[in-house]
Amino acid sequence: MSERIDDAALVERFSYIRIDHDTKHLYRGWLEERLLINRCDDCARFHHPPKPICPSCWSSSLTPTQVSGRGVIHLTILLHQGPPAPDVDYAKGPHPVVSIELEEQEALRFTSTVIDCPLEDVRIGLPVELAWIDRFGAPFPVFRPRETS
Ligand SMILES: [Zn+2]
């Protein structure tokens, strides 16, 4: 477990993201390369993006919980232009944006990109797993194709 950092240091590490009290646990997890999704202590359902109360039962008792990072592509779009990012070069071709349905719960989705995958192989239903890349000097969660047997 890495050293805990305070809120100010967290905001500094992710200067390109707007962080608030609802989302700070998510980004603290990124620094440790852990994908933490809010889970309700009362009804056990996950939700994402983070909200101050459980959208299912309105409980405010929530625990950021590490998920496996395994899932399948639920939705994919190709961006042909967009804001600059270190790992995105639109001159080399479109940038895939994928919404991953995580295996922990039906309709629990996390949006990012997919790496190590030719564009023609990016398709709905493709099994993927979590991977981490560096973005602006901090870990950033992405997905790559997963071997299934
Ligand atoms: Zn709940």
Side-chain angles (χ1 to χ4, degrees):
M1 188 98 177
S2 68
E3 200 176 313
R4 298 301 296 244
I5 65 168
D6 65 22
D7 290 355
L10 185 68
V11 167
E12 202 168 294
R13 287 297 300 276
F14 292 104
S15 56
Y16 68 102
I17 294 175
R18 192 187 161 113
I19 295 180
D20 59 28
H21 288 291
D22 295 332
T23 60
K24 64 184 181 183
H25 304 290
L26 176 70
Y27 298 112
R28 277 220 170 81
W30 289 17
L31 289 180
E32 300 171 348
E33 299 195 352
R34 299 162 71 212
L35 186 56
L36 302 177
I37 303 290
N38 271 2
R39 186 172 206 185
C40 177
D41 297 330
D42 291 314
C43 77
R45 287 190 62 79
F46 290 93
H47 71 267
H48 183 79
K51 296 182 177 67
I53 60 168
C54 170
S56 299
C57 75
W58 293 13
S59 168
S60 58
S61 183
L62 306 169
T63 302
T65 303
Q66 186 169 7
V67 294
S68 67
R70 287 187 298 272
V72 297
I73 294 179
H74 173 77
L75 185 81
T76 177
I77 60 169
L78 293 177
L79 288 186
H80 293 265
Q81 56 185 347
D87 51 324
V88 180
D89 182 356
Y90 295 102
K92 288 181 182 165
H95 175 65
V97 173
V98 291
S99 175
I100 304 302
E101 179 149 317
L102 298 171
E103 69 176 8
E104 275 75 12
Q105 182 179 296
E106 192 179 342
L108 179 65
R109 293 173 197 141
F110 189 90
T111 299
S112 181
T113 190
V114 61
I115 62 167
D116 300 337
C117 186
L119 283 183
E120 59 269 26
D121 292 346
V122 178
R123 57 174 172 78
I124 291 169
L126 182 74
V128 293
E129 64 188 7
L130 184 64
W132 295 90
I133 63 171
D134 179 277
R135 182 174 279 189
F136 298 114
F140 182 83
V142 299
F143 292 87
R144 66 176 165 225
R146 164 169 55 100
E147 295 291 326
T148 51
S149 50

